[in-house]
Amino acid sequence: DAKTTQPPSMDCAEGRAANLPCNHSTISGNEYVYWYRQIHSQGPQYIIHGLKNNETNEMASLIITEDRKSSTLILPHATLRDTAVYYCIVSRRAGNMLTFGGGTRLMVKP
Amino acid sequence: GAGVSQSPRYKVAKRGQDVALRCDPISGHVSLFWYQQALGQGPEFLTYFQNEAQLDKSGLPSDRFFAERPEGSVSTLKIQRTQQEDSAVYLCASSLEGGWQGYTEAFFGQGTRLTVV
């Protein structure tokens, strides 16, 4: 599975959009990009995933660059409850044997 | 149940003691996964079951770690002769899909925090 690089931490003002970047320059053609988040003392929670097209669901949007070497997770209106560690994962496996890495600790501030 | 349930939530074991951690997946979920999460780190994959079959155990750190899912539902992760380096949160996850096509999200339990003293 391709390695991902994320900033260790980010801040965001409540109500503003949170844009979380992820670099995956060694991604291969059949590898998906997955995003999970982990709120303190809880298990990880699935957010969204994609292959090459941009994706949107009720939680977030995923923007993948045309060369697929990077992606951005967008939380359109961050709330205090979005404070969590966000993991960007790249995997060719359709199952859930996921390699989490260090993630980005997002702090949403009032 | 409504979600993945793990028990106990907290376990303190003396070094050398055997422990058993239980996971009740979401009813009907075919796939079950165990992860280990050390303090300040992301979760690391341990093992994967599809129904009762253990299809991947490549992440188990040593032969002291053993997992089973005999009836394709509840799973137990057993650690023999615990060591201090085994201290971590052990997370269980389940997902609906049973094959390698398509993707269904993993639902995680809250984990069992194991402290070996």
Side-chain angles (χ1 to χ4, degrees):
Chain A
D1 294 342
K3 179 180 166 60
T4 62
T5 303
Q6 299 178 255
S9 64
M10 290 182 64
D11 289 344
C12 177
E14 189 179 18
R16 304 298 292 268
N19 297 284
L20 293 95
C22 180
N23 184 287
H24 31 80
S25 57
T26 60
I27 194 170
S28 27
N30 58 352
E31 288 185 308
Y32 286 77
V33 180
Y34 301 87
W35 283 83
Y36 276 74
R37 74 179 182 183
Q38 188 171 24
I39 295 168
H40 183 61
S41 296
Q42 297 184 22
Q45 175 192 24
Y46 168 81
I47 302 173
I48 199 167
H49 78 285
L51 183 62
K52 52 184 174 181
N53 297 323
N54 297 338
E55 303 287 344
T56 295
N57 63 21
E58 64 278 4
M59 287 184 70
S61 295
L62 174 60
I63 308 298
I64 303 174
T65 58
E66 193 169 339
D67 63 7
R68 303 208 324 121
K69 292 184 184 300
S70 66
S71 60
T72 301
L73 179 75
I74 301 172
L75 308 178
H77 305 287
T79 71
L80 299 179
R81 287 178 292 182
D82 291 322
T83 292
V85 178
Y86 287 76
Y87 296 100
C88 170
I89 301 161
V90 172
S91 176
R92 72 172 59 88
R93 294 174 287 196
N96 286 301
M97 292 179 287
L98 305 168
T99 302
F100 277 83
T104 295
R105 185 173 299 277
L106 175 69
M107 179 75 71
V108 180
K109 299 184 174 180
Chain B
V4 177
S5 178
Q6 294 188 246
S7 60
R9 283 295 313 279
Y10 304 93
K11 176 70 178 176
V12 178
K14 292 184 177 179
R15 192 169 51 189
Q17 185 179 353
D18 297 349
V19 298
L21 313 179
R22 177 186 169 105
C23 173
D24 282 86
I26 294 173
S27 178
H29 277 195
V30 171
S31 298
L32 185 144
F33 307 82
W34 284 98
Y35 286 81
Q36 179 190 59
Q37 186 170 24
L39 189 64
Q41 308 289 320
E44 293 193 0
F45 169 77
L46 294 177
T47 187
Y48 160 52
F49 290 86
Q50 188 177 116
N51 295 308
E52 69 279 2
Q54 188 174 21
L55 298 188
D56 193 316
K57 54 182 181 179
S58 61
L60 295 176
S62 77
D63 58 7
R64 296 186 295 103
F65 287 71
F66 171 77
E68 60 183 4
R69 193 186 185 198
E71 297 180 357
S73 178
V74 171
S75 177
T76 303
L77 177 67
K78 297 179 179 178
I79 309 173
Q80 297 177 321
R81 305 181 303 282
T82 53
Q83 306 293 317
Q84 282 192 315
E85 62 262 29
D86 300 334
S87 295
V89 175
Y90 291 85
L91 294 161
C92 176
S94 69
S95 63
L96 186 60
E97 53 80 25
W100 291 89
Q101 297 174 1
Y103 180 74
T104 56
E105 66 190 269
F107 292 85
F108 283 80
Q110 289 188 290
T112 294
R113 182 177 296 278
L114 172 65
T115 303
V116 181
V117 297

